[in-house]
Amino acid sequence: MHGEYKTPGGKLVVVDFTVEDRHLRDVMVSGDFFLYPGEALESITASLDGLDIGLSQDEYAERIRLHLGPDVSLIGTSPEGIAIAVRRALDGFSQE
């Protein structure tokens, strides 16, 4: 699955993953946004990996937010922007 979102006034977010047993697997987040420290990208992907595909955009964003500590700077996008890219990838996916 592949989803993209261009944050208004910000940067592009790209999310790629597979779906296995109704759960996100092998999640990869990329784009032209800035993240400091860079290792925090692992926290973002870990926060999404294994989540049910039936979650709402807000629920995905909250899971990301919970995994990012107060010392992480996400510039040019947001947890909501990443969540939008996930939901866009899932739009039209048969959940049966």
Side-chain angles (χ1 to χ4, degrees), residues 29 33-45 68 71-74:
V29 178
F33 58 90
F34 299 97
L35 182 63
Y36 180 81
E39 297 81 34
L41 188 58
E42 293 173 17
S43 294
I44 293 172
T45 58
L68 294 178
D71 58 334
V72 174
S73 296
L74 188 56

Side-chain angles (χ1 to χ4, degrees), residues 7-95:
T7 304
K11 303 290 184 175
L12 178 68
V13 176
V14 178
V15 180
D16 293 292
F17 55 87
T18 59
V19 174
E20 184 178 298
D21 297 323
R22 295 186 42 85
H23 292 86
L24 306 180
R25 300 286 183 217
D26 304 317
V27 178
M28 294 177 52
V29 178
S30 59
D32 59 0
F33 58 90
F34 299 97
L35 182 63
Y36 180 81
E39 297 81 34
L41 188 58
E42 293 173 17
S43 294
I44 293 172
T45 58
S47 71
L48 294 169
D49 199 58
L51 293 182
D52 189 279
I53 62 171
L55 295 180
S56 71
Q57 181 177 303
D58 290 339
E59 290 170 312
Y60 286 124
E62 184 61 23
R63 299 294 173 98
I64 295 165
R65 194 176 295 103
L66 288 173
H67 275 80
L68 294 178
D71 58 334
V72 174
S73 296
L74 188 56
I75 303 164
T77 194
S78 63
E80 291 78 15
I82 298 167
I84 290 170
V86 171
R87 286 299 334 155
R88 283 186 175 178
L90 290 169
D91 283 350
F93 178 75
S94 174
Q95 298 183 28

